Amino acid sequence: MRNVNAKFLAASLVVLLVPLAASATHIAAVDVHGDCAGWTVDVTVRYRSDVFEGDLDLVVQLTDLDGNVLEEQTLSAVVSREEGSFQTQLYSYNGEWTWYGPAGQYHAVATVTLTAVQPPGDTVVDVETRDPKFTCSVVTNEDTTWSSVKGLYR
């Protein structure tokens, strides 16, 4: 009988704790777009019902196809929601590249880290990375002229 009670107690604890883990504050989605001029990152955060803010760290890298980092931009923000608001919130960030290079294929690699403290004081960290590829026919800068662009196609 004692063994049956212990198994019942263990099973009950699992049933009670699984919803808590599943309801942890986390990154629900990350959407990254890159082009020759810059990048956009949309982050969807799903908050646990009793959590209202977190720290979001974003690292966006422009890389070539070999993985060489050509430029890196970082951003840190406190993300929050109002009490009584929807538990799922969308945050959008964007930036412009300062690096100018030859035409070719590149990646905009975005790594998003969300850190949130939720009752009873547990720290939850969630990390997501996306790396869409994009092609630049002409990477422009302030010295680009129509003549220089035509010269690429002769």
Side-chain angles (χ1 to χ4, degrees):
M1 183 70 169
R2 205 168 213 194
N3 193 17
V4 171
N5 286 340
K7 287 181 181 178
F8 176 76
L9 179 61
S12 298
L13 284 174
V14 167
V15 168
L16 291 173
L17 293 177
V18 166
L20 286 177
S23 68
T25 300
H26 64 277
I27 299 169
V30 175
D31 192 21
V32 179
H33 298 282
D35 62 26
C36 305
W39 54 270
T40 301
V41 177
D42 295 323
V43 181
T44 304
V45 175
R46 170 85 174 144
Y47 291 92
R48 198 170 95 168
S49 62
D50 55 354
V51 176
F52 299 95
E53 74 175 31
D55 295 322
L56 188 105
D57 294 309
L58 174 63
V59 177
V60 181
Q61 296 176 325
L62 173 65
T63 68
D64 61 18
L65 292 183
D66 294 327
N68 298 310
V69 177
L70 307 171
E71 181 176 343
E72 180 174 286
Q73 297 182 16
T74 60
L75 177 131
S76 293
V78 174
V79 292
S80 62
R81 68 180 184 98
E82 297 288 325
E83 190 168 345
S85 66
F86 291 110
Q87 288 177 259
T88 302
Q89 299 286 321
L90 174 67
Y91 305 97
S92 295
Y93 305 95
N94 60 64
E96 295 180 359
W97 305 123
T98 59
W99 183 85
Y100 300 105
Q105 290 188 328
Y106 299 92
H107 285 265
V109 181
T111 301
V112 181
T113 304
L114 174 69
T115 305
V117 177
Q118 53 195 37
D122 298 329
T123 300
V124 176
V125 178
D126 191 10
V127 179
E128 295 284 335
T129 300
R130 302 288 185 275
D131 64 339
K133 186 183 344 179
F134 61 93
T135 301
C136 290
S137 300
V138 177
V139 180
T140 61
N141 63 29
E142 60 275 357
D143 297 326
T144 303
T145 64
W146 179 243
S147 297
S148 65
V149 173
K150 287 193 305 186
L152 293 172
Y153 296 98
R154 288 188 179 164

